[in-house]
Amino acid sequence: MAQLSLDDTRALAHTILRHHGFSEDQAAAIADTMAAGQRDECASHGLYRLLGCIATLKAGKAVADAQPETHDVAPALLKVDAKGGFSPLAFRRGLSPALEKARQNGLAAFAINHCVHFSALWVEIEEITAAGMVALACTPSHAWVAPAGGSNPLFGTNPFAFGWPRAGQLPFVFDFATSAIARGEIELHRREGKPVPPGWGIDDKGQPTTDAAAILAGAMLTFGGHKGSALSAMIELIAGPLIGDFTSAESRAWDNGAGALPYHGELIIILDPRRFLGAQAEEHLARAEPLFAAMAQNGRLPSQRRYEARQRSLAQGITLPDALYRDLLALLD
């Protein structure tokens, strides 16, 4: 295993991105997002994603120097056109005006269009909760996931995230794919030659399998059967046609076999508790704390594992499998 400091982790990502022609703005935003994933031991959304980013650029499916354009659509609605670039910079450009709209109106919808997407949504959610806001975010991907009862890919992994700010504590955040698992986790199992748990996917004949490569050639499954399937369909609609962007099937068709990262949109909804509650905001926000305490019940809240990993990384740095580290260094050749 290779050992890196957090500064070295971000610097490696930034150096590789700049080496391949990404602009400073794009490289900085992407590197920050990857470093956050690696720091919190979310390996499927960390430095491993550099391989996909560079492959996507080489396939002509991303714009390395894209400058996102912000459009003030309505008092509570903002759209950012990523112009074919990666989503982190588009999010960064739209965050401040979207937060201001939420402060003025109590809520705001923030849509990102025409972006290449690889990142975990919790990275964005935490930036919104840091401003004292409640947040939801969702996005389609490529058509990799069969609907409940089906065997042909139709949905994306279609992640959904939620965040709640907590006074003096790290926020309550969850971020999960509506597929049984994030696709990156299956890809990591394939790289390491490990079987996946039952229920993650099916092969190209529609048969259950624990072979990661067979699932990648076949179809992933939703979590919770028809319930996960319905949530996935909702995300296709509200982060696709509603914001004037691709569904997962349209994203995969646009890819046309290039094997690039997904190209689509993202919907973020921001709610300001202080506009909802006025002078009683702190009182009512405090009422959430007994709920969180009762939820633990000798277990853990969502994100607790990430927060513990974050503390380890801050103290000890991060580790990378030797094979992945070699693959990353090869990107500098």
Side-chain angles (χ1 to χ4, degrees):
M1 301 289 282
Q3 187 80 26
L4 282 76
S5 71
L6 291 181
D7 286 343
D8 288 343
T9 299
R10 186 196 178 280
L12 176 61
H14 185 268
T15 299
I16 290 171
L17 292 162
R18 291 290 281 155
H19 179 75
H20 285 272
F22 282 87
S23 67
E24 175 58 31
D25 286 348
Q26 287 282 343
I30 295 169
D32 286 346
T33 298
M34 288 180 177
Q38 201 71 49
R39 177 201 64 198
D40 285 10
E41 296 180 4
C42 296
S44 63
H45 290 83
L47 294 183
Y48 160 73
R49 291 288 178 166
L50 281 165
L51 303 175
C53 288
I54 303 309
T56 298
L57 182 65
K58 289 182 175 180
K61 297 294 185 178
V63 179
D65 59 353
Q67 287 296 325
E69 291 183 358
T70 302
H71 300 279
D72 191 339
V73 179
L77 180 58
L78 181 81
K79 297 181 84 172
V80 179
D81 186 345
K83 295 288 186 178
F86 283 80
S87 60
L89 182 59
F91 175 80
R92 184 172 287 184
R93 292 285 171 84
L95 179 59
S96 291
L99 289 172
E100 185 55 33
K101 283 180 176 291
R103 294 185 186 101
Q104 292 295 322
N105 298 290
L107 55 84
F110 170 17
I112 298 174
N113 289 112
H114 312 130
C115 70
V116 185
H117 205 284
F118 72 87
S119 56
L121 296 177
W122 60 260
V123 179
E124 299 171 355
I125 291 290
E126 283 195 28
E127 291 199 49
I128 298 171
T129 56
M133 304 287 186
V134 175
L136 303 95
C138 60
T139 182
S141 58
H142 275 338
W144 289 318
V145 182
S151 58
N152 295 320
L154 175 66
F155 299 145
T157 53
N158 294 10
F160 179 82
F162 170 81
W164 179 276
R166 301 177 67 189
Q169 300 189 62
L170 291 165
F172 173 82
V173 176
F174 66 74
D175 176 1
F176 56 79
T178 51
S179 55
I181 194 69
R183 189 170 180 86
E185 291 291 344
I186 299 177
E187 292 171 339
L188 287 174
H189 278 72
R190 179 193 58 77
R191 283 179 61 89
E192 296 169 11
K194 296 179 180 178
V196 305
W200 280 15
I202 53 180
D203 63 20
D204 59 2
K205 307 270 191 316
Q207 297 303 307
T209 181
T210 59
D211 184 326
I215 293 171
L216 294 174
M220 300 169 66
L221 296 176
T222 60
F223 83 89
H226 66 280
K227 294 181 179 180
S229 189
L231 283 173
S232 193
M234 177 193 75
I235 291 166
E236 292 282 345
L237 295 170
I238 64 173
L242 181 65
I243 65 170
D245 222 309
F246 282 169
T247 63
S248 296
E250 290 169 333
S251 175
R252 193 166 189 181
W254 180 87
D255 183 75
N256 196 29
L261 292 167
Y263 179 76
H264 48 69
E266 177 182 347
L267 177 64
I268 302 151
I269 298 172
I270 304 172
L271 303 101
D272 184 356
R274 284 152 191 83
R275 288 305 300 265
F276 274 79
L277 297 166
Q280 296 179 309
E282 303 308 322
E283 172 190 347
H284 288 295
L285 288 172
R287 291 176 53 233
E289 293 307 313
L291 175 67
F292 296 139
M295 283 174 64
Q297 296 191 16
N298 296 320
R300 61 177 175 83
L301 292 174
S303 288
Q304 184 177 327
R305 184 204 62 79
R306 283 198 305 102
Y307 296 149
E308 291 169 355
R310 186 177 302 179
Q311 291 304 115
R312 283 194 298 274
S313 296
L314 289 169
Q316 303 168 14
I318 65 101
T319 57
L320 286 178
D322 288 334
L324 175 58
Y325 190 50
R326 287 194 297 269
D327 288 345
L328 295 177
L329 293 179
L331 293 174
L332 293 171
D333 292 341

